[in-house]
Amino acid sequence: MDIRLKKGIGDFTFGMKEADITAKLGKPDKIYEDEDDENELIYQYNKSKIKFSFYQEHEGKLGYIRCANPKLTYKGKPIIQAPADTVVKEVFGSEINDWQEEDYNSFTTYISEEYWLVLNAEYDEVTDIELGVPVKNDEEYDWG
């Protein structure tokens, strides 16, 4: 499973529909609405350690992915459980240099707004990533 910046992860690309995901992974282990946004329907796959958020107000398109799968890579380099500093500087360093670091004492996030990518880290290791559909402007997503 390789991260494709501004596109998705592996075969899962922004703009896909629920049926596209279930055709590849089967029935999700859990389906629920985002507690902060009832317009987002989330499909959770426990074995794959991945969640897909479908934006209901945008025809149910896949708009957000959260992944903690240990096989997740970027250009073949491992992400999950890798040292956060290494992932930020060496794995993504050639393409992303606008990271915003936020320290919450028990965990740290590294955010790139340009690529709509969030790295979450605990104990100085990346625990999971969040990847969102890029934004064209203040009112539109770039569905690709």
Side-chain angles (χ1 to χ4, degrees):
M1 297 177 66
D2 203 52
I3 295 171
R4 296 183 303 130
L5 294 174
K6 297 186 176 186
K7 302 284 181 207
I9 294 177
D11 293 335
F12 306 108
T13 56
F14 297 121
M16 291 178 93
K17 301 290 186 116
E18 296 166 39
D20 300 322
I21 302 295
T22 57
K24 292 179 182 294
L25 291 178
K27 183 181 172 193
D29 294 294
K30 187 175 181 180
I31 300 173
Y32 59 98
E33 282 185 1
D34 184 318
E35 61 187 42
D36 296 325
D37 186 350
E38 71 266 1
N39 291 310
E40 287 186 30
L41 185 65
I42 300 171
Y43 277 29
Q44 177 176 311
Y45 289 87
N46 295 339
K47 186 176 178 184
S48 299
K49 294 187 178 187
I50 195 165
K51 296 176 186 177
F52 301 98
S53 296
F54 299 95
Y55 293 179
Q56 300 309 296
E57 58 190 23
H58 292 278
E59 303 166 5
K61 292 179 180 179
L62 174 61
Y64 205 76
I65 304 170
R66 186 170 188 149
C67 184
N69 190 308
K71 294 181 181 177
L72 184 67
T73 59
Y74 180 66
K75 295 188 177 180
K77 296 177 183 172
I79 303 296
I80 304 302
Q81 298 176 332
D85 196 49
T86 300
V87 174
V88 168
K89 291 180 180 172
E90 296 176 23
V91 176
F92 288 106
S94 65
E95 293 187 50
I96 303 175
N97 54 25
D98 69 338
W99 294 105
Q100 297 173 19
E101 182 178 339
E102 296 181 13
D103 188 343
Y104 296 96
N105 295 323
S106 65
F107 69 97
T108 305
T109 62
Y110 301 87
I111 303 164
S112 170
E113 288 185 14
E114 178 183 354
Y115 290 96
W116 212 247
L117 173 66
V118 178
L119 306 175
N120 296 304
E122 284 187 86
Y123 306 106
D124 196 36
E125 290 184 349
V126 177
T127 56
D128 68 320
I129 66 101
E130 301 173 45
L131 188 63
V133 63
V135 179
K136 271 187 189 178
N137 55 49
D138 291 341
E139 298 175 17
E140 290 183 275
Y141 291 110
D142 186 0
W143 296 106

